[in-house]
Amino acid sequence: MTTPFKAIEITDDIYWVGAIDWNLRRFHGYDINRGTTYNAFLIKDKKNVLIDMVRAPFKDELFSRIRSVIEPEKIDLIVSNHAEMDHSGALPDTIDLIQPEKVLASAKGVEALKAHYNIDQPLEAVKDGSEIDIGRSKLKFIETKMLHWPDSMVTFVPDKGVLFSQDAFGLHLATSERFDDELPESILEYEAAHYYANILLPYSKLIPKLAEKLSELDIKIFATDHGPVWRSRLEWIVDLYKKWAAQKPTMKAVIVYDTMWESTALMSRALADGLREGSASVKLMSLAAHTRSDIATELLDAGAILIGSPTINGEMYPTLGEILTYMKGLKFQHLIGDAFGSYGWVPNKTVREIRDKLSEMKIELVSENGVSCHYVPTDDILMHCRELGIATAKMLKEKSK
Ligand code: FEO
């Protein structure tokens, strides 16, 4: 049928019918750089199945792409792998249009969909490991609890080797290309790291188990809910996930700071010089120039975090409070760190409080006290910063052996 939006066949009888959100930059408190896609998939079989949906404002795009293959009313089943609204927002309208026999989700998924949309019928819970027959193919449901919500599950089509992996292996990347092998590896790696650091990192301990579960399946395609469909670099992306989950210490340090009258900025540069002298690689990130999501991404393969703040009204700069709160939730492992900063008339409080926050996150401190500076750094203070950089690099060398 001629429709304004077309489906794209990803393998025999399986179609991408999602939507592209080209200019989205703020996504549930997470800053993204290149927009995103909401991937939904249609399986044509004796029973036609819709796997996941799109955000509510994109429902007409979804319906149009489905209509380019079959009339939406011919869909028999909907599978909701994940109840978050970027994949289920269109559910109430989709149920109204399609009148499916069932909407299948995990038990927690059914609970979440009920809570979001106040619907009951035709929701039905599927068990972990259960299978259903849809004609020529079967669908197998595998729970992936807390990756990254309690309801999360994936759906596997064994005869086609397609795994509908919901958020797992997703990228926030809006492009006209639909497959991983149509895109540069460097962009895929950066955006996959960005996604992992900001969404999956707190659940890293569950990744090896996921990788083990997936290794038991003969998977040819990861049909993820965001970004390109993976058909060529499956092993590559699974290996990256294993590496990021392990968070092994490296010789990379990230310095994050804000500055009022350039004192903390100058201190951060002396610190960076000391780190370089100790052979560490350094990323110097001002909070005026970088989002918390970009900082989390740089920290994903780092071994150290150094945080610098001026003092305002007796407290650390609010921007530093934000990054510390964000870091705490992401539960970074194996980092070392320290703090530095300036004050006018409340000596050392800011640096002490940042160090306390780092300790709460189980980040091992490099020095006894960090470096505090009264108003403007003297050469002596800058030398202390340089020495803190050298000491950090030395500790990193020990940790990354
Ligand atoms: Fe893409 Fe957790 O939603």
Side-chain angles (χ1 to χ4, degrees), residues 149-164:
W149 270 25
D151 68 296
S152 298
M153 70 172 194
V154 297
T155 300
F156 185 51
V157 188
D159 65 301
K160 296 185 192 295
V162 176
L163 183 82
F164 298 101

Side-chain angles (χ1 to χ4, degrees), residues 27-28 36-38 82-87 147-149 152 166-167 172 195 199 225-226:
F27 188 45
H28 59 57
T36 195
T37 70
Y38 312 113
H82 178 28
E84 196 162 10
M85 284 185 276
D86 46 331
H87 310 298
L147 283 171
H148 69 123
W149 270 25
S152 298
Q166 48 96 14
D167 278 342
H172 288 307
Y195 190 96
I199 293 179
D225 274 356
H226 295 288

Side-chain angles (χ1 to χ4, degrees), residues 71-87:
E71 284 304 327
E73 296 78 0
K74 290 192 174 154
I75 292 174
D76 302 283
L77 302 169
I78 297 175
V79 173
S80 171
N81 280 321
H82 178 28
E84 196 162 10
M85 284 185 276
D86 46 331
H87 310 298

Side-chain angles (χ1 to χ4, degrees), residues 48-349:
N48 297 310
V49 184
L50 177 63
I51 310 267
D52 293 330
M53 286 145 290
V54 298
R55 271 180 75 189
F58 292 83
K59 65 180 166 46
D60 292 330
E61 194 169 327
L62 169 75
F63 299 154
S64 176
R65 290 192 203 278
I66 293 170
R67 207 165 270 126
S68 73
V69 183
I70 55 170
E71 284 304 327
E73 296 78 0
K74 290 192 174 154
I75 292 174
D76 302 283
L77 302 169
I78 297 175
V79 173
S80 171
N81 280 321
H82 178 28
E84 196 162 10
M85 284 185 276
D86 46 331
H87 310 298
S88 71
L91 180 64
D93 287 311
T94 309
I95 290 176
D96 282 350
L97 176 67
I98 292 176
Q99 300 290 311
E101 283 169 28
K102 290 171 190 171
V103 176
L104 304 172
S106 67
K108 286 282 177 195
V110 167
E111 201 179 284
L113 291 171
K114 278 184 188 171
H116 276 77
Y117 305 111
N118 193 25
I119 50 173
D120 193 9
Q121 293 300 325
L123 299 180
E124 187 173 305
V126 290
K127 287 206 168 86
D128 183 32
S130 64
E131 288 187 356
I132 59 165
D133 210 321
I134 57 168
R136 295 177 296 281
S137 294
K138 285 191 166 80
L139 302 184
K140 183 182 171 84
F141 307 107
I142 303 163
E143 286 190 357
T144 55
K145 269 185 192 163
M146 296 320 296
L147 283 171
H148 69 123
W149 270 25
D151 68 296
S152 298
M153 70 172 194
V154 297
T155 300
F156 185 51
V157 188
D159 65 301
K160 296 185 192 295
V162 176
L163 183 82
F164 298 101
S165 63
Q166 48 96 14
D167 278 342
F169 312 117
L171 308 186
H172 288 307
L173 179 58
T175 60
S176 51
E177 291 76 17
R178 289 277 61 79
F179 297 97
D180 63 313
D181 47 38
E182 299 171 328
L183 291 157
E185 195 162 282
S186 56
I187 291 179
L188 294 174
E189 183 166 351
Y190 181 78
E191 291 303 339
H194 203 274
Y195 190 96
Y196 187 96
N198 287 279
I199 293 179
L200 295 171
L201 187 68
Y203 313 106
S204 285
K205 284 187 179 142
L206 304 174
I207 295 292
K209 212 170 175 185
L210 173 70
E212 199 185 311
K213 263 189 185 179
L214 299 188
S215 71
E216 291 160 11
L217 307 174
D218 183 15
I219 304 173
K220 295 182 179 68
I221 289 177
F222 287 146
T224 172
D225 274 356
H226 295 288
V229 169
W230 301 88
R231 66 180 178 190
S232 296
R233 296 182 175 96
L234 282 75
E235 206 179 321
W236 177 80
I237 187 69
V238 171
D239 285 347
L240 282 176
Y241 266 48
K242 286 189 205 160
K243 183 179 92 169
W244 294 329
Q247 294 178 69
K248 287 204 175 127
T250 68
M251 283 298 291
K252 173 180 168 185
V254 179
I255 303 175
V256 177
Y257 74 96
D258 212 333
T259 196
M260 191 189 294
W261 291 107
E262 297 301 316
S263 291
T264 313
L266 187 56
M267 294 170 84
S268 70
R269 295 202 295 276
L271 193 49
D273 242 51
L275 280 156
R276 271 194 297 270
E277 186 174 318
S279 305
S281 94
V282 187
K283 278 276 175 185
L284 187 60
M285 305 182 87
S286 147
L287 285 169
H290 298 278
T291 66
R292 61 178 183 241
S293 304
D294 290 340
I295 289 165
T297 307
E298 287 299 338
L299 281 170
L300 185 60
D301 63 353
I305 170 89
L306 288 311
I307 295 195
S309 174
T311 305
I312 183 165
N313 303 323
E315 300 292 334
M316 74 176 80
Y317 240 39
T319 46
L320 272 309
E322 178 189 315
I323 192 74
L324 287 164
T325 303
Y326 194 56
M327 276 183 66
K328 189 175 178 190
L330 291 177
K331 298 185 174 62
F332 284 94
Q333 305 288 316
H334 310 142
L335 285 176
I336 61 168
D338 219 318
F340 61 99
S342 61
Y343 65 89
W345 50 96
V346 188
N348 307 332
K349 179 172 176 265

